[in-house]
Amino acid sequence: MDYTALYKQFSNEYWSHFQDSELAQGRKSATFQLWQNRTPAARKAMADFLTEHGAPKDNPYFWVMHFPEPQPMNYNGARTLPDEPLVRAVHNGVGGIYTKAEAQLFNMQIKGEFKL
């Protein structure tokens, strides 16, 4: 794991939203330790949330701790499908239809392309 790149990502995509908060003072290192232990999908979801909504008023350390783990969208049986490549993949031991990007983000075992 490239910790330098991960720390840069943390600083740019996450910490930059909290750096002016009084609750963030002296907590960057501890928050980074917690943040780096989250899944890549959770880190992306947190960054997306902060970009869209800005920083919440919470202590950034506890916000990372309590941020819910995202779940991929299984399009098996869906009436509408996204306009991006789909794959057959296994998530938590169960097969389904996912976007290729989500399957990669969640580190799923990809079984093949999905074609209608």
Side-chain angles (χ1 to χ4, degrees):
M1 179 178 291
D2 183 357
Y3 287 103
T4 303
L6 196 59
Y7 189 76
K8 185 176 181 179
Q9 178 189 16
F10 169 77
S11 296
N12 293 338
E13 295 178 10
Y14 180 79
W15 196 254
S16 62
H17 294 277
F18 288 99
Q19 65 189 6
D20 295 331
S21 167
E22 282 185 29
L23 294 172
Q25 301 304 313
R27 293 187 171 88
K28 186 174 184 179
S29 180
T31 304
F32 174 66
Q33 291 293 324
L34 186 63
W35 183 85
Q36 74 176 347
N37 290 327
R38 296 297 304 265
T39 64
R43 293 193 302 256
K44 181 181 181 324
M46 284 185 264
D48 291 347
F49 179 92
L50 293 170
T51 298
E52 188 174 328
H53 303 287
K57 303 287 185 227
D58 301 347
N59 177 314
Y61 179 86
F62 292 109
W63 190 75
V64 170
M65 181 184 291
H66 298 296
F67 193 87
E69 188 65 35
Q71 296 298 311
M73 173 65 181
N74 185 346
Y75 291 98
N76 190 24
R79 292 178 185 256
T80 59
L81 299 174
D83 190 25
E84 57 186 292
L86 296 172
V87 294
R88 294 177 291 109
V90 178
H91 178 67
N92 290 339
V94 179
I97 307 299
Y98 301 94
T99 65
K100 184 175 183 178
E102 228 176 21
Q104 292 169 335
L105 180 64
F106 283 87
N107 200 25
M108 295 181 203
Q109 180 184 11
I110 297 175
K111 296 292 191 175
E113 291 182 23
F114 176 76
K115 296 182 182 185
L116 293 174

